[in-house]
Amino acid sequence: MFKNDIEKSKRSLLVRNEIIEKLDKELGVNFGFSFNDLYGVKGGVVRRLKGSIWSKEILGRGEYGNNEIFNEFFNEVKEFVENLEFEDFKIEFNKKLDYGWKEYRRWKENGSFDGNFNDYKKWRLDNERDIILKIKWEVE
């Protein structure tokens, strides 16, 4: 890794912290993560955090388990995060999107899901609570 890459990696940690702070201060949203890694992509690097979001307001109303309310909440947070601007960094905020065939077969075989693979992916996305925050930058 070149010196510039190390500096950008360190700056990406500051960007991460600033995003988390802005979510809390401006939206009252907590973002907790249990996974943080770096990986290379064509022409750049990504800092990826896997975690979850929650709001004391939604929890207080007892509506966190309501998928429709959670999805509206998620979309509001996604729009906020992806509109933040950080020089030299691109931000992406999504739900976990990788649902495999083996997992689908296991759900189908034990009677937990009735439908085709595309129906399964849509159902999982509608019910997904795992969040992926990506902070990307180009390598010079």
Side-chain angles (χ1 to χ4, degrees), residues 10-40:
K10 288 178 182 177
R11 282 185 43 221
S12 75
L13 291 171
L14 298 174
V15 168
R16 173 199 68 190
N17 294 343
E18 191 171 335
I19 291 170
I20 291 170
E21 185 177 320
K22 284 179 180 281
L23 283 170
D24 182 38
K25 298 262 188 274
E26 296 181 33
L27 292 183
V29 170
N30 293 305
F31 174 70
F33 61 93
S34 58
F35 184 82
N36 177 13
D37 70 347
L38 293 173
Y39 63 93

Side-chain angles (χ1 to χ4, degrees), residues 76-93:
E76 176 186 337
V77 174
K78 177 180 175 60
E79 183 178 346
F80 175 83
V81 170
E82 290 188 345
N83 282 315
L84 294 174
E85 292 187 21
F86 297 96
E87 186 177 342
D88 298 329
F89 294 94
K90 181 180 183 222
I91 310 301
E92 291 181 8
F93 192 81

Side-chain angles (χ1 to χ4, degrees), residues 64-124:
Y64 187 76
N66 181 311
N67 285 339
E68 186 176 329
I69 289 172
F70 180 82
N71 287 328
E72 288 173 12
F73 167 63
F74 167 79
N75 289 333
E76 176 186 337
V77 174
K78 177 180 175 60
E79 183 178 346
F80 175 83
V81 170
E82 290 188 345
N83 282 315
L84 294 174
E85 292 187 21
F86 297 96
E87 186 177 342
D88 298 329
F89 294 94
K90 181 180 183 222
I91 310 301
E92 291 181 8
F93 192 81
N94 274 305
K95 291 182 175 184
K96 175 184 163 192
L97 300 173
D98 53 342
Y99 305 112
W101 179 256
K102 287 182 182 179
E103 186 179 1
Y104 162 70
R105 294 297 311 158
R106 189 169 25 91
W107 278 72
K108 190 118 170 119
E109 287 168 3
N110 72 19
S112 298
F113 185 79
D114 185 35
N116 66 36
F117 186 60
N118 287 330
D119 293 338
Y120 169 75
K121 290 192 300 186
K122 182 184 179 329
W123 175 76
R124 284 301 307 260

